[in-house]
Amino acid sequence: MNRRNFNKALAAAGALSLAPGYVRAQAQKLKIGVILPRSGYLSFIGQSCQKGADLAPGVIRDMLGVDIELMNADFESNVDTARTRAERLIQEGANVLVGPFDSGAAAAIAQVAEQRGVPFVINIAAAPQITEQGYKFVFRNFQTAGDIVRNGLALMGELFQATNTVPRTAVFMHVNDTFGQAMAKGIGAFMPRLTQLPFKIVDTISYDPAAKDLTVEVSKAKAANADFLMLVCRLNDAIILRREMVKQRWNPMGIVSPGSPGMYEEQYYKALGKLSEHSISNVPWYNPNAKLTKVVEKAFLKQNPKDKLVFHGLNAGFTFEAILIAADAFKRAKSTDAKTLADAIRQTNITDKMTLGGPIKFNEKGQVEGIGSACVQNLNLTPTVVLPANAATAKPVFPAPYYKK
């Protein structure tokens, strides 16, 4: 081979060796598999999260110039189905998985994502063990149950101070799924340390979040004669429980969640009307004054002209941010290669966000730290931030006006 032919052959070999990387670098679209419970007992919340996913491609294209293709899957509020849906999305070409709201489903999807080597960004799920497994492809932009409990109990203390009330006893009711058990464990661990809280828990009652009747559980809770109800719930069970409280004429000082969904959801208001008033949820929330919130709200109203973001803020906000995290990493990585994407997600530093708290950064476990919480009370049939004072748009009302009436 003469020198000229040798150089041609060398150049051709170099081009071939660079071709795969070049193709990845020129990837034009990010395929995101969105797994949510759009049917089953978690359906209303899953549909609420989906609203945040649906508006994400348009907003993110304008923000980052990134094209996203959503591959939507319904896991039907069933953990086993979540696992099979994740497998199918990966087989169909999803570059990243996002979801699923539920901790049990998140744990199942995390196993699949790790085994298949596909990045998984959790929008909402709090069970701590999910990010304690040493996973390399699993990331969570949400508080752990421990964070939720710690922040939620601290806000309870602020609530009692702000309203000059001193409840001495509480009955604790909680769902018995993965999330509810993690929250119960967190409350059991934190309560003895928080000596500034004036109350003690006189009874603990667990129940199935898919239950159709809570007569016995509410009767037992009422018999505890506690000053207020501390509740870790979902949506459907929260509606059933509140109706049963009215039926049994149980009127404690109020219902306060140390951190769970359900009572700020739109369906809670639609189903209960005025009976939804004054329920309190201490939860991660969105910042209504953030620049990105205003952008998302505009897009939300365009897609849902008869709806309001405030009823979907947590669900839509954290789902949107999960997709934003994937898109931001894709833009920096310029590749859909799974490991390259995962490495880019690990280097995330998003300061322009809509949820309360510091920048979106992941620690070595794939967990975001520093997400803030708010005390959200149902006032005038609207979830309203009443604490902390610097983020509040109204003052808290406690005890509830119906107390002992």
Side-chain angles (χ1 to χ4, degrees):
M1 180 182 291
N2 62 34
R3 184 171 181 176
R4 183 177 179 182
N5 290 338
F6 175 79
N7 287 339
K8 284 183 177 179
L10 185 64
L16 287 172
S17 66
L18 289 173
Y22 179 79
V23 171
R24 287 196 299 269
Q26 295 300 311
Q28 296 297 310
K29 183 177 291 187
L30 182 66
K31 295 182 178 181
I32 300 180
V34 180
I35 311 177
L36 294 167
R38 299 200 310 272
S39 61
Y41 71 93
L42 297 173
S43 60
F44 286 114
I45 297 176
Q47 293 163 20
S48 179
C49 290
Q50 188 68 51
K51 292 177 185 290
D54 290 342
L55 62 84
V59 173
I60 291 173
R61 188 183 305 112
D62 292 341
M63 286 178 63
L64 304 178
V66 170
D67 283 331
I68 295 170
E69 177 184 336
L70 297 186
M71 303 168 65
N72 297 315
D74 173 17
F75 74 85
E76 303 169 7
S77 304
N78 182 286
V79 170
D80 292 333
T81 304
R83 190 187 308 274
T84 58
R85 293 290 187 272
E87 290 278 8
R88 183 184 300 174
L89 285 170
I90 293 171
Q91 290 171 1
E92 292 174 351
N95 306 125
V96 182
L97 300 179
V98 163
F101 174 79
D102 175 68
S103 287
I109 296 168
Q111 291 176 356
V112 173
E114 194 70 15
Q115 290 166 1
R116 299 293 297 272
V118 173
F120 172 35
V121 184
I122 297 170
N123 65 337
I124 302 167
Q129 61 267 30
I130 297 170
T131 47
E132 295 292 330
Q133 307 297 316
Y135 291 147
K136 302 301 181 185
F137 290 88
V138 178
F139 306 89
R140 171 165 48 190
N141 182 42
F142 198 71
Q143 293 179 357
T144 65
D147 294 331
I148 292 175
V149 168
R150 182 172 56 251
N151 293 343
L153 292 177
L155 282 168
M156 275 192 200
E158 292 183 37
L159 170 68
F160 301 146
Q161 285 186 336
T163 56
N164 295 312
T165 53
V166 188
R168 297 299 184 186
T169 56
V171 57
F172 175 40
M173 299 184 71
H174 69 88
V175 289
N176 62 7
D177 60 7
T178 304
F179 166 68
Q181 291 173 6
M183 289 291 290
K185 185 177 180 180
I187 287 170
F190 281 107
M191 277 294 294
R193 305 181 202 173
L194 300 175
T195 55
Q196 72 273 25
L197 292 176
F199 66 92
K200 64 178 181 178
I201 296 174
V202 293
D203 199 2
T204 297
I205 303 165
S206 66
Y207 62 90
D208 185 346
K212 303 297 184 183
D213 188 305
L214 293 171
T215 303
V216 173
E217 289 81 0
V218 170
S219 179
K220 184 179 179 183
K222 180 182 179 182
N225 198 31
D227 290 332
F228 75 101
L229 168 60
M230 185 161 67
L231 178 64
V232 171
C233 58
R234 297 295 196 175
L235 172 58
N236 291 2
D237 58 285
I239 294 169
I240 294 169
L241 188 149
R242 184 70 188 101
R243 284 174 172 159
E244 188 60 35
M245 288 177 67
V246 174
K247 183 179 178 181
Q248 296 193 26
R249 298 184 181 181
W250 178 31
N251 296 318
M253 295 175 77
I255 308 171
V256 185
S257 172
S260 67
M263 298 189 296
Y264 53 77
E265 309 287 353
E266 183 177 35
Q267 195 62 27
Y268 188 77
Y269 297 89
K270 286 184 175 180
L272 295 173
K274 291 184 178 180
L275 295 179
S276 66
E277 284 287 272
H278 302 104
S279 298
I280 294 173
S281 307
N282 296 338
V283 288
W285 202 247
Y286 71 100
N287 181 356
N289 298 317
K291 179 182 176 182
L292 184 55
T293 298
K294 297 183 185 304
V295 173
V296 170
E297 186 168 29
K298 184 177 179 181
F300 183 92
L301 291 174
K302 185 176 181 180
Q303 288 197 358
N304 308 278
K306 296 182 179 180
D307 211 344
K308 294 181 180 179
L309 179 64
V310 69
F311 294 110
H312 307 274
L314 187 154
N315 302 324
F318 280 99
T319 303
F320 170 83
E321 282 192 354
I323 295 173
L324 175 63
I325 289 165
D328 171 74
F330 173 63
K331 182 177 182 179
R332 288 182 285 107
K334 298 181 174 64
S335 172
T336 56
D337 174 73
K339 186 178 184 304
T340 304
L341 269 177
D343 289 342
I345 293 173
R346 198 166 286 108
Q347 300 302 316
T348 297
N349 183 10
I350 297 175
T351 56
D352 184 9
K353 53 177 290 192
M354 64 178 291
T355 53
L356 290 169
I360 300 175
K361 293 181 179 180
F362 296 100
N363 64 20
E364 67 281 359
K365 297 179 180 179
Q367 174 65 47
V368 166
E369 299 173 339
I371 295 176
S373 293
C375 181
V376 179
Q377 185 166 32
N378 300 352
L379 298 175
N380 300 315
L381 301 181
T382 303
T384 306
V385 176
V386 294
L387 289 169
N390 60 2
T393 57
K395 292 183 178 181
V397 178
F398 192 87
Y402 57 75
Y403 177 50
K404 287 191 175 179
K405 283 188 179 180

